[in-house]
Amino acid sequence: MRYSKEHKQETHARIVKKASVRLREKGAHGIGVADLMKEAGLTHGGFYAHFDSREALVIEAFAYAMDRSVEHWRQIAADTPPEKRLSTIIDSYVSPVHRDDPGRGCAVPTLGAEIARESAKTRKAFAAKLEQLIDVMADQIPDVPRKAARRQAMGTLATMMGTLVMSRVAGSGELSDEILVAGREAALTRAETKPAVKKARAKVN
């Protein structure tokens, strides 16, 4: 039976969406192709009708997850007063809800360490999506030169992601909650600190 192009595209998107959740829950190597296809309601044999390799699926699934994070942050920015956008993003990220639902959260804390050991192609795709997150955060830092805003965004994002990783390692008890609180405070402090602007020195003749 031949399926329409639209049907194939819908099936492809369903596989990517399901894989995106399962990869964040189980890790890049924690679930096989057969299981991923079963999750999407398809047979293992149909995999190569949609993807050239398992790596291709991992890259698409990771990109899908990162795109959702970018969209979420942009939606927060659109719905929040300018002076509260950055703190609202931090609050939603460094939270028990995000900690306890890795399958629908940011892909960097769940897959970052594994992606760092993958091929150059996979790492390049990862880095491009990570840069988009940095840029969205930098957009929420007003009255600062763009280069400085990006550096500030990188530091804040690193604090947020590290906090989430540590809180998950600690489980969901008191220590985990303490890590979230401390990390949130650190991220907010870093986000609110204006970087020093160096003054050009006058040349002495």
Side-chain angles (χ1 to χ4, degrees):
M1 178 180 178
R2 293 182 63 85
Y3 292 104
S4 67
K5 182 178 179 180
E6 289 75 16
H7 180 273
K8 185 175 181 179
Q9 290 173 339
E10 290 173 1
T11 301
H12 185 101
R14 187 167 77 251
I15 297 171
V16 170
K17 185 176 181 179
K18 289 285 187 181
S20 175
V21 174
R22 291 295 173 259
L23 288 171
R24 280 175 282 172
E25 289 178 341
K26 304 293 186 180
H29 299 285
I31 188 168
V33 168
D35 293 324
L36 290 173
M37 294 298 282
K38 185 178 180 181
E39 288 281 346
L42 301 165
T43 63
H44 187 186
F47 176 81
Y48 291 101
H50 294 277
F51 306 96
D52 294 333
S53 64
R54 189 181 190 280
E55 180 185 47
L57 172 57
V58 169
I59 289 174
E60 280 201 53
F62 170 77
Y64 175 88
M66 294 295 280
D67 287 344
R68 301 292 79 71
S69 293
V70 169
E71 288 176 7
H72 177 59
W73 287 10
R74 285 176 175 161
Q75 190 60 53
I76 288 176
D79 296 341
T80 309
E83 68 276 9
K84 294 183 179 180
R85 289 172 182 170
L86 196 55
S87 62
T88 302
I89 288 173
I90 293 171
D91 286 342
S92 69
Y93 193 100
V94 187
S95 68
V97 172
H98 192 186
R99 176 196 62 197
D100 298 340
D101 192 11
R104 291 174 176 77
C106 179
V108 180
T110 55
L111 295 174
E114 292 180 85
I115 297 295
R117 292 190 288 268
E118 294 291 333
S119 69
K121 180 181 179 181
T122 301
R123 295 197 308 272
K124 183 178 180 180
F126 185 104
K129 292 299 181 180
L130 179 58
E131 189 163 17
Q132 287 183 10
L133 273 184
I134 292 169
D135 285 337
V136 173
M137 177 161 282
D139 290 341
Q140 316 315 318
I141 303 175
D143 305 323
V144 174
R146 185 62 182 181
K147 186 175 181 179
R150 275 176 53 84
R151 287 178 63 86
Q152 192 171 338
M154 289 175 189
T156 302
L157 193 52
T159 301
M160 292 160 59
M161 290 175 173
T163 297
L164 205 62
V165 171
M166 288 180 62
S167 68
R168 285 173 175 165
V169 169
S172 57
E174 184 176 348
L175 176 59
S176 181
D177 290 340
E178 289 176 351
I179 291 171
L180 284 179
V181 171
R184 176 182 172 277
E185 291 175 353
L188 287 170
T189 298
R190 177 177 286 276
E192 292 168 358
T193 301
K194 296 289 185 181
V197 178
K198 295 182 178 180
K199 296 180 178 180
R201 293 183 177 179
K203 291 183 178 180
V204 178
N205 294 328

